[in-house]
Amino acid sequence: MARATGKSEAVYERLKGDIESLRLRPGARLSEVQLGEELGASRTPVREAIRRLAREGLVDFVPGEVARVAAISLGGVRALFEFRMLLEPEAVASVAGAGAADGRVLLPFGELLERLEEFDESFRALDTAAQARSYQEFYEIAESFDRAVIAACRNPYLARTIGDLRSQTVRLRHLSHSGPRRMLTSLEEHRAMLKAITQGDAQAAEAACRHHLAQTLQALIDSLTGNDLAIGANVQVDVAR
């Protein structure tokens, strides 16, 4: 049983990573047999992993068909960001407020700000092709920031709800950073949030977070509607939903 559970976890992590990074495209069929052969696993751990991903909203079960990677729709993206707008600005404001009262709360954010500044300097020195290859480093910084906010948030219900949305937001991150220009804009937005938090300025942190979410939503809309052809041409999107 322990081995089966471990195998299911390994399959889950692999599939989740492939979906979040868009290596498995929205709408892609997920055959238990085919995936089992590719991943060296029996159908049971593959089935368990797919069901787990379905509970997280990353997989859909279509009647009469095998499971598919959940589609990305404009309506779904807008709904997700409306919800995030209600949650995340409040969370970063509470973290900044807590940091003003207890400087230890701010330590991870100070370290992240230093990492961001180092990345910014190195990123701007690269040519366009090299910049595209370095996106993953920024994704890791952004993910660390999100996790730090969740960890430092004093409201456990708020932190848990934001955490539950991570799988959806990570997948969309790869769509929203469609080029070096947006990457640099997002970098500035994260710098603003980090500076506000490290200064214990709850109001500025909330405003910076709200601005970042609004800009990210617009970048996603541009990508999904084909205004950004480099991304829009390669991603299945249900415009009606």
Side-chain angles (χ1 to χ4, degrees):
M1 180 64 70
R3 290 184 61 187
T5 300
K7 193 65 176 179
S8 178
E9 183 68 23
V11 172
Y12 163 79
E13 292 292 346
R14 169 66 181 276
L15 291 179
K16 183 177 182 180
D18 286 348
I19 292 171
E20 289 180 343
S21 66
L22 300 178
R23 286 190 293 269
L24 277 173
R25 292 286 177 174
R29 298 173 74 252
L30 299 175
S31 165
E32 292 178 7
V33 174
Q34 182 179 347
L35 288 172
E37 292 174 352
E38 293 176 359
L39 301 176
S42 66
R43 293 183 67 175
T44 297
V46 173
R47 185 180 301 117
E48 290 174 352
I50 289 175
R51 288 176 177 172
R52 186 173 170 186
L53 291 166
R55 290 194 294 271
E56 295 178 8
L58 293 176
V59 168
D60 289 334
F61 287 103
V62 181
E65 298 185 24
V66 297
R68 291 182 180 274
V69 176
I72 295 175
S73 70
L74 286 176
V77 168
R78 288 193 177 101
L80 174 64
F81 272 78
E82 286 175 3
F83 194 36
R84 290 183 68 186
M85 285 280 196
L86 296 174
L87 303 174
E88 294 179 30
E90 177 64 27
V92 296
S94 71
V95 171
D102 183 354
R104 292 173 297 180
V105 174
L106 303 179
L107 292 178
F109 299 96
E111 294 171 358
L112 281 171
L113 183 56
E114 290 180 6
R115 282 182 61 190
L116 189 71
E117 298 290 12
E118 292 172 359
F119 172 80
D120 185 16
E121 182 177 356
S122 62
F123 184 81
R124 292 176 187 273
L126 300 174
D127 59 34
T128 302
Q131 284 181 337
R133 292 193 297 270
S134 70
Y135 281 15
Q136 185 58 40
E137 184 177 352
F138 176 74
Y139 294 154
E140 291 172 0
I141 294 172
E143 179 68 16
S144 295
F145 171 75
D146 293 339
R147 293 188 181 278
V149 170
I150 292 170
C153 182
R154 290 299 190 259
N155 186 318
Y157 296 101
L158 179 58
R160 187 179 305 118
T161 304
I162 294 172
D164 289 343
L165 297 175
R166 294 308 308 143
S167 294
Q168 296 292 338
T169 56
V170 169
R171 181 165 69 146
L172 293 175
R173 179 174 289 149
H174 290 265
L175 290 178
S176 64
H177 298 101
S178 54
R181 181 181 299 177
R182 174 57 195 158
M183 173 65 73
L184 289 171
T185 302
S186 183
L187 190 153
E188 291 298 332
E189 292 161 7
H190 279 81
R191 177 185 282 119
M193 289 188 288
L194 282 165
K195 283 187 173 180
I197 291 174
T198 56
Q199 293 168 1
D201 189 335
Q203 185 174 359
E206 180 180 356
C209 182
R210 196 172 299 281
H211 175 71
H212 169 63
L213 291 172
Q215 293 297 108
T216 303
L217 174 58
Q218 186 58 56
L220 284 165
I221 291 172
D222 290 344
S223 293
L224 294 173
T225 56
N227 292 336
D228 182 343
L229 297 179
I231 293 297
N234 295 316
V235 176
Q236 175 180 333
V237 55
D238 184 349
V239 178
R241 290 171 58 188

